[in-house]
Amino acid sequence: MGDQCVILVTGGTGLVGQAIKTIAEGEENRPNEQWYFASSKDGDLSVREDTEKLFAKVKPTHVIHLAAMVGGLFRNLKYNLDFYRINTLINDNVLNVSYKTGVKKVVSCLSTCIFPDKTTYPIDETMVHNGPPHDSNFGYSYSKRMIDVLNRAYNKQHGCQFTSVVPTNVYGAHDNFNLEDGHVLPGLIHKIYTAKKNNTPFTVWGTGSPRRQFIYSLDLARLMIWVLREYPEIDPIILSVGEEDEVSIKEAAEAVVEAMDFKGEVKYDTTKSDGQFKKTASNAKLRKYRPDFKFTPFKQAVKESCDWFVANYETARK
Ligand code: NAP
Ligand code: GDP
């Protein structure tokens, strides 16, 4: 990426997109890179004409493709069909228009929740298609898996440099803090904020025993910019903290309690689903390429995320 380039980030207004903006315009700023962060207001990418118009306007040489219908466990449980259809349309449009307009490289986003439910641990990049995903989010999962199929097919048939990353659970500034739709950490932050304000108990959903590897959005942004500039493969790469950094939902809730200085009662609503018990991923491939990459410590990143929510409460997505 030595020449002048224009990088289109689809889904540029979301959690991951805004983190990439912070890093690309800050510590990783390069004069030859011009970035465009698109929102759904720039066009609905599930519609072919909108996708073509956006590409004709921005004329990207490179694309980071984040735009998707996204949600936590409870949104996935309700809308498997929509997750499948909308994301499949978006991905087909973005990759096909990228091919037709000669985009040099596309980096798309998979997720560790799309891996087979019945599997051995740790999960690695070779296992994406090895068995059915967890039933709670099969629509999202099959649609995301097809990005890997498209990437390989575009490469084999047309020589395209289309690849993908596989992040674990992401959190940070600009997250979706809506309780029904969002992921666990923003949900916990929002619930503690309300419990503190109203002097009411804070309720964690499920048993608290499932385990997750959380990645801070700014760390993911640093790694995705590296993937765009340097990663040479078509096959996906897992972007995750180490297996030893996996925490239970209970431990994650305790980290938020501490960061928000919450002194009230903590309850567990075990009538709510636990979802997938774990999806422990290996970051050995990442470590082979980036042995020295330093992840932000979990407690520090949770504190920064809480502080962002408190400071931006009025305008945050909730
Ligand atoms: P997010 O905060 O919900 O942002 C989604 C982005 O996609 C927004 O910019 C949204 O635009 C855009 N978008 C949605 N539907 C669109 C459409 N039909 N046309 C055009 N744009 C559309 O999501 P995120 O958490 O940043 O996720 C980014 C990517 O990372 C996704 O591909 C997701 O699957 C993947 N991922 C996320 C996680 C996680 O824990 N969050 C984990 C693994 C992988 P508006 O702002 O205009 O609505
Ligand atoms: P997942 O990692 O794809 O399953 O999605 P989530 O980020 O939604 O995490 C779901 C896990 O967190 C399940 O074990 C839930 O029972 C648990 N959890 C606890 N409280 C909450 C909450 O307020 N919101 C969400 N989304 N999950 C919660």
Side-chain angles (χ1 to χ4, degrees), residues 71-74 76 113 136-137 169 179-185 187-188 191 203-208 210 212 214 249 272-276 279:
L73 168 63
F74 298 94
N76 273 278
C113 65
S136 57
N137 63 356
N169 288 52
L179 293 186
E180 294 303 315
D181 291 352
H183 289 95
V184 56
L185 271 175
L188 298 175
K191 284 192 278 190
T203 307
V204 182
W205 293 342
T207 61
R212 298 288 183 268
F214 291 101
I249 298 297
K272 292 269 194 183
S273 170
D274 263 350
Q276 218 164 343
K279 36 193 177 178

Side-chain angles (χ1 to χ4, degrees), residues 9-18 38-47 54 65-71 75 86-87 90-91 108-113 140 144 147 165-171 174-176 183 215 220 224 317:
V9 181
T10 72
T13 46
L15 164 66
V16 181
Q18 287 297 293
S39 81
S40 62
K41 293 192 189 76
D42 289 285
D44 178 350
L45 297 176
S46 68
V47 176
L54 178 66
H65 171 39
L66 306 172
M69 180 174 176
V70 179
R75 190 179 192 199
I86 291 170
N87 288 336
I90 292 176
N91 298 334
S108 300
C109 223
L110 313 184
S111 165
T112 46
C113 65
Y140 177 81
K144 285 281 182 190
I147 291 180
V165 298
V166 189
T168 50
N169 288 52
V170 190
Y171 66 103
H174 304 278
D175 209 336
N176 181 0
H183 289 95
I215 182 166
L220 177 60
M224 287 194 71
R317 265 188 295 169

